[in-house]
Amino acid sequence: MGSSGSIEREKKEVEFGEKIYEIVCEYYPETSENITGMLLDAEYDELKQLLSTTRREELLERIHLAAGSLVASSISDGENCKQEEIKDCMNESCDNACNKKMALGETLFSLVESKHPTDAERLTGILLEMDAQSVKHLIEDTELLENKIEEILKCLQGINNITEPNDNKERESDLKTHCDKTIIGEELHNLVCGFNTEYTDKITGMLLEMDLQDLEVIVKDHVALKEKVTLALETLNKEEKEAKITTSFADEEQDKTLLGEKLYYIISEWYPDNVDKITGMLLELDVSALVMLLEDSEELKSRALLAANVLSETN
């Protein structure tokens, strides 16, 4: 019986490992084996609890910490490159994407640790979910890096404040998407700005309504981004034209009301009994024609007489 129980436990541990590996792959595919191995050092009961729905956010927390630890450990083991070597690595096309990401990660960790020593491992792990080019931008722009860190810390605070276990997974997903979109947003804004349009802010906002996966594609694909920007511009121009037409129509109606009052006053002196009907008939003309009539009293009198004759014949 004891042997059978041991075998069953080993099977369960293998299942735990496979489940954890699948989750880790979603965030850190390049180092998923190492991170999974680090997490599997935990006790059987602890692993079982971490894989439960209510402990999902804690599992993600440990994954991010493990990813950051990998970077930190490579630095402490003397595998950190000198600053000149890191710059060379960033400017060259590396054959090994994993090595490139690790080199960037080491530099990123040093920058993050200088201002956020307590959360350095976790923050570095989260930032390394971005593609290599985006990480490079963060390393080159310390202000941008600090802004992203602040956004991530806010998101993490939101995860810690979750109180309803049944909503954990959904809320966690929403918060992660928000973090990722915030990170992409500024880069996207800079790219859209390159198209020299006066609607940069509006277009960026429209594009950020897209799914995260689609956003990651257009940030890397200039042709795809150009198509989306062109489509957004067409939409904005159409909306602007419709707004102008609506405004123009409203202005015209307002103008006719004012012109009608002037016509009524003049015509009431000539035809007080039919002033309402004659004024109404003249108001069938467009605004420009009415303006001309008011400027030419003889023409106005002639039109009013014609309208009065029509009314007389009708009666």
Side-chain angles (χ1 to χ4, degrees), residues 183-213:
I183 290 171
I184 288 177
E186 190 163 340
E187 182 179 359
L188 183 62
H189 185 277
N190 292 336
L191 292 172
V192 173
C193 190
F195 289 96
N196 298 318
T197 170
E198 59 182 314
Y199 299 113
T200 298
D201 291 341
K202 287 186 177 180
I203 292 175
T204 302
M206 292 168 70
L207 295 179
L208 285 173
E209 295 296 322
M210 299 168 58
D211 291 337
L212 180 62
Q213 187 175 359

Side-chain angles (χ1 to χ4, degrees), residues 118 146 156:
T118 305
E146 190 58 30
L156 290 174

Side-chain angles (χ1 to χ4, degrees), residues 274 277 308-315:
N274 293 312
K277 292 181 179 180
N309 290 337
V310 170
L311 288 172
S312 179
E313 292 175 2
T314 302
N315 294 333

Side-chain angles (χ1 to χ4, degrees), residues 17-46:
E18 292 174 350
K19 289 180 180 179
I20 292 174
Y21 180 80
E22 289 177 3
I23 296 171
V24 174
C25 275
E26 294 178 13
Y27 298 91
Y28 305 101
E30 296 167 356
T31 54
S32 54
E33 292 185 3
N34 291 338
I35 294 173
T36 302
M38 293 168 70
L39 294 175
L40 288 176
D41 286 338
E43 296 294 329
Y44 173 86
D45 291 337
E46 187 176 3

Side-chain angles (χ1 to χ4, degrees), residues 252-266 279 283 286-292 294:
E252 183 174 340
E253 288 299 309
Q254 186 176 5
D255 291 343
K256 269 199 172 184
T257 300
L258 295 173
L259 293 172
E261 292 173 356
K262 292 180 180 180
L263 283 172
Y264 186 91
Y265 176 76
I266 296 171
T279 302
L283 284 175
D286 59 43
V287 172
S288 59
L290 290 172
V291 171
M292 292 176 64
L294 287 168

Side-chain angles (χ1 to χ4, degrees), residues 21-287:
Y21 180 80
E22 289 177 3
I23 296 171
V24 174
C25 275
E26 294 178 13
Y27 298 91
Y28 305 101
E30 296 167 356
T31 54
S32 54
E33 292 185 3
N34 291 338
I35 294 173
T36 302
M38 293 168 70
L39 294 175
L40 288 176
D41 286 338
E43 296 294 329
Y44 173 86
D45 291 337
E46 187 176 3
L47 289 174
K48 185 176 180 180
Q49 292 178 7
L50 284 174
L51 286 168
S52 65
T53 304
T54 57
R55 298 283 292 277
R56 171 82 176 194
E57 73 275 7
E58 184 178 341
L59 175 59
L60 282 183
E61 178 91 2
R62 293 204 184 188
I63 290 173
H64 294 318
L65 283 172
S69 296
L70 283 177
V71 176
S73 63
S74 66
I75 293 176
S76 62
D77 291 340
E79 296 176 11
N80 180 30
C81 300
K82 293 180 181 179
Q83 190 66 24
E84 294 78 14
E85 294 173 336
I86 295 297
K87 289 181 179 178
D88 290 340
C89 179
M90 290 192 295
N91 293 327
E92 295 175 2
S93 176
C94 299
D95 294 330
N96 192 321
C98 182
N99 288 340
K100 180 180 179 181
K101 197 76 171 280
M102 183 61 72
L104 292 172
E106 292 168 357
T107 305
L108 182 64
F109 179 82
S110 298
L111 294 172
V112 175
E113 187 182 35
S114 65
K115 292 191 175 183
H116 303 274
T118 305
D119 298 315
E121 293 183 3
R122 176 173 56 173
L123 291 171
T124 303
I126 294 174
L127 290 170
L128 284 175
E129 293 180 40
M130 301 167 61
D131 59 76
Q133 188 62 33
S134 298
V135 173
K136 178 183 173 183
H137 286 160
L138 293 180
I139 291 173
E140 294 172 345
D141 188 339
T142 54
E143 184 178 352
L144 177 61
L145 173 61
E146 190 58 30
N147 289 338
K148 299 314 172 193
I149 289 175
E150 291 301 321
E151 290 290 343
I152 291 171
L153 288 174
K154 288 179 182 177
C155 290
L156 290 174
Q157 183 61 41
I159 291 175
N160 291 334
N161 290 336
I162 292 175
T163 57
E164 298 182 18
N166 292 335
D167 294 336
N168 279 357
K169 190 171 183 180
E170 182 179 350
R171 288 283 301 280
E172 166 199 311
S173 176
D174 290 342
L175 287 166
K176 181 183 181 300
T177 299
H178 174 72
C179 284
D180 292 343
K181 279 195 173 184
T182 301
I183 290 171
I184 288 177
E186 190 163 340
E187 182 179 359
L188 183 62
H189 185 277
N190 292 336
L191 292 172
V192 173
C193 190
F195 289 96
N196 298 318
T197 170
E198 59 182 314
Y199 299 113
T200 298
D201 291 341
K202 287 186 177 180
I203 292 175
T204 302
M206 292 168 70
L207 295 179
L208 285 173
E209 295 296 322
M210 299 168 58
D211 291 337
L212 180 62
Q213 187 175 359
D214 294 332
L215 281 173
E216 291 173 343
V217 171
I218 64 172
V219 165
K220 298 175 185 177
D221 188 338
H222 182 78
V223 175
L225 176 60
K226 186 176 181 180
E227 290 178 357
K228 294 294 183 183
V229 170
T230 301
L231 183 61
L233 270 174
E234 291 175 355
T235 301
L236 289 171
N237 288 331
K238 183 179 178 181
E239 290 177 351
E240 187 174 323
K241 287 180 181 178
E242 290 175 350
K244 285 181 178 179
I245 291 173
T246 302
T247 302
S248 176
F249 179 76
D251 291 343
E252 183 174 340
E253 288 299 309
Q254 186 176 5
D255 291 343
K256 269 199 172 184
T257 300
L258 295 173
L259 293 172
E261 292 173 356
K262 292 180 180 180
L263 283 172
Y264 186 91
Y265 176 76
I266 296 171
I267 294 172
S268 65
E269 296 180 357
W270 301 334
Y271 306 98
D273 295 336
N274 293 312
V275 60
D276 290 338
K277 292 181 179 180
I278 293 173
T279 302
M281 293 169 69
L282 293 177
L283 284 175
E284 295 296 324
L285 299 170
D286 59 43
V287 172

